[in-house]
Amino acid sequence: MEWLSMLAAAGLFAAACNIDTVILAMGWAVRGVRPAFGHTLVIAGLTTFITWLSLALGRGAAARMGAAFAGALGG
């Protein structure tokens, strides 16, 4: 059951990162900018890496500071 909670947290975090990407794409669309496919892949790769890194660092920090304190900080 813990894996389901972790999966939900990862999904919510990924959705939050994707909202930033959607806003970026909307801004480009308003300006008439059409990014190349390669640029789109770079943005997607960086977003995925940053999401993974944030989750990994958060898990490590939570293990060191205790579950109660990490929960109080929002993680």
Side-chain angles (χ1 to χ4, degrees):
M1 192 58 144
E2 183 181 332
W3 66 270
L4 186 58
S5 175
M6 291 173 51
L7 182 63
L12 288 172
F13 194 79
C17 285
N18 287 331
I19 288 171
D20 293 344
T21 306
V22 168
I23 291 170
L24 175 67
M26 288 171 52
W28 280 346
V30 167
R31 291 182 172 201
V33 175
R34 295 199 39 106
F37 184 71
H39 295 151
T40 305
L41 286 178
V42 168
I43 292 170
L46 285 173
T47 301
T48 302
F49 175 72
I50 291 169
T51 301
W52 172 83
L53 183 63
S54 297
L55 290 171
L57 291 174
R59 180 180 223 176
R64 285 186 172 73
M65 66 179 68
F69 187 65
L73 289 176

